[in-house]
Amino acid sequence: MALANSTYDLIADEYLSTRIENERLYRERLAKTYESCPELKKIDDAIMDLGLKASLSELKGSDASGLKTELEDLKKKRAQIISSEGIDPSYDRMIYTCPKCRDTGRIETAGGVFEKCKCFRQKESVFLLKEFGASELLKNNNFSCMRTDIFDDDSRDKFMKAVEYCRDFIDNFDKEYRNIMFFGSVGTGKSFLSCCIADELLKSYHSVIYMSSKKFFDALADSEFSKDPNADIIKERIYGCDLLIIDDLGTEMTNSFTCSELFSVINERYNSRKSVIISTNLELSLLRDTYSDRIFSRITGSYDIFKLSGSDLRNRT
């Protein structure tokens, strides 16, 4: 399942709408500022006029020092007015939703090549979450929906320690490379915490792929065996997104292909320092028996592991 061209058209339309709206807000902000302080508009017009004259004078090889002195005096007067009137200094500047790409979705690299901005990849993630049926899951599973009254005392303590860790994981996501595995019985909050992390990181323009283990392996199989030329797009997202979440590992049909692909993904993402979250109902011993020793070794050696316990919370809501 790959993102269609129509999806990219929708993303492009979103950027266009954002630019139009920010342009409207800029003009509205500028007009209100000039209406409340007409003197500031006169000074801005004079600065623009003098700046143009100074530039033309230099192009002709003439001495523009007098114009530049006058220009600096006007700028100082402008700063004094802004300060005394309590005017926002950004009144005459466009405020972008994403300053990095200026709401275009693309940034230019040092080599002059354009690449997708983080905000563009975040938008891709949002569409992929819809395609894989995870967007509703995130809408109904986030920190604002969290309840602690449905836990027993012991399980609540373990859950809240995991919550504290998750918040720290989010806060330091760009500073520290970490992976997480949640394991335990059904309905103990494993998927909920994964969703909370995904929701918060998407808000800060990170690209997140959240997939059930079945859809995860189906996507990799499509990339491997499908004749669809777009099938590799999902595989590229799986390997390259900021955060990959594999939910309910162990519910898929396990075979040599799934074991090989799982190791490839977690190992490559480990080498590129890209985080993974895995949730599973399997106990660690069964995880080792179900998959290979090298997968078990990679997970236990490079993942922070949390066991969540208690009765099924979904029967208490």
Side-chain angles (χ1 to χ4, degrees):
M1 184 185 296
L3 286 173
N5 289 334
S6 58
T7 299
Y8 288 107
D9 290 340
L10 288 172
I11 293 176
D13 288 344
E14 281 190 16
Y15 278 110
L16 177 59
S17 297
T18 298
R19 292 196 299 272
I20 290 172
E21 175 62 12
N22 286 337
E23 174 73 21
R24 183 190 69 78
L25 292 173
Y26 158 70
R27 294 186 180 281
E28 183 180 276
R29 185 169 59 252
L30 191 65
K32 286 182 177 180
T33 302
Y34 285 157
E35 183 180 354
S36 65
C37 187
E39 185 180 2
L40 186 58
K41 185 178 188 314
K42 293 179 182 179
I43 291 178
D44 280 345
D45 289 343
I47 287 174
M48 186 177 295
D49 184 53
L50 273 175
L52 179 60
K53 288 180 179 179
S55 297
L56 290 173
S57 181
E58 287 183 330
L59 285 174
K60 294 177 181 179
S62 303
D63 182 12
S65 58
L67 292 171
K68 288 183 177 180
T69 299
E70 190 176 350
L71 186 61
E72 288 302 314
D73 290 341
L74 281 174
K75 287 180 178 179
K76 289 178 182 178
K77 186 176 181 181
R78 176 180 181 270
Q80 290 172 353
I81 291 174
I82 289 173
S83 178
S84 62
E85 297 294 329
I87 296 171
D88 183 352
S90 64
Y91 76 93
D92 62 340
R93 295 195 295 272
M94 177 78 78
I95 298 176
Y96 297 100
T97 303
C98 179
K100 191 171 183 179
C101 70
R102 296 190 173 190
D103 300 332
T104 64
R106 301 190 310 160
I107 55 175
E108 187 174 3
T109 64
V113 178
F114 283 91
E115 63 180 25
K116 294 174 183 176
C117 183
K118 283 186 69 173
C119 65
F120 191 99
R121 292 193 175 277
Q122 183 260 3
K123 290 179 184 294
E124 285 182 318
S125 293
V126 170
F127 278 98
L128 282 171
L129 288 169
K130 289 179 182 177
E131 289 194 27
F132 286 107
S135 56
E136 285 299 313
L137 187 65
L138 265 61
K139 184 194 296 186
N140 299 312
N141 291 273
N142 53 67
F143 282 129
S144 65
C145 303
M146 186 172 69
R147 291 177 56 188
T148 59
D149 60 301
I150 56 178
F151 288 88
D152 297 326
D153 290 342
D154 183 54
S155 58
R156 182 188 298 113
D157 290 342
K158 290 181 180 179
F159 183 78
M160 291 311 298
K161 286 179 181 178
V163 169
E164 183 179 352
Y165 176 90
C166 290
R167 292 190 184 278
D168 185 69
F169 178 88
I170 294 163
D171 292 342
N172 293 286
F173 187 78
D174 293 321
K175 302 173 186 176
E176 299 178 18
Y177 167 68
R178 285 185 276 180
N179 302 296
I180 306 173
M181 188 177 79
F182 298 115
F183 80 101
S185 54
V186 174
T188 50
K190 302 182 300 296
S191 297
F192 176 81
L193 290 178
S194 297
C195 286
C196 287
I197 293 172
D199 179 66
E200 292 298 320
L201 289 179
L202 283 167
K203 290 176 183 176
S204 55
Y205 293 108
H206 291 89
S207 56
V208 179
I209 299 295
Y210 187 114
M211 305 170 78
S212 68
S213 64
K214 183 180 185 307
K215 291 183 178 180
F216 169 74
F217 288 113
D218 284 348
L220 292 173
D222 285 344
S223 176
E224 186 72 20
F225 305 113
S226 174
K227 295 181 180 180
D228 182 355
N230 293 319
D232 282 342
I233 294 177
I234 299 300
K235 186 173 184 178
E236 184 270 330
R237 300 295 183 275
I238 287 173
Y239 277 86
C241 62
D242 295 328
L243 175 64
L244 170 66
I245 300 175
I246 307 171
D247 193 31
D248 278 340
L249 184 67
T251 56
E252 76 286 350
M253 184 71 72
T254 308
N255 52 43
S256 59
F257 173 80
T258 57
C259 288
S260 175
E261 289 298 303
L262 178 60
F263 178 77
S264 177
V265 169
I266 64 175
N267 191 58
E268 286 301 315
R269 288 187 63 87
Y270 172 81
N271 290 335
S272 59
R273 317 309 275 176
K274 291 184 178 295
S275 297
V276 178
I277 296 176
I278 295 174
S279 72
T280 180
N281 297 332
L282 301 178
E283 290 291 329
L284 293 182
S285 58
L286 188 54
L287 182 74
R288 181 188 57 217
D289 294 341
T290 304
Y291 302 98
S292 65
D293 286 339
R294 61 179 183 168
I295 290 175
F296 182 75
S297 175
R298 174 61 77 206
I299 291 175
T300 55
S302 58
Y303 284 59
D304 294 322
I305 300 175
F306 291 87
K307 181 175 183 178
L308 300 178
S309 59
S311 56
D312 191 341
L313 297 174
R314 288 171 291 191
N315 296 328
R316 301 188 179 194
T317 56

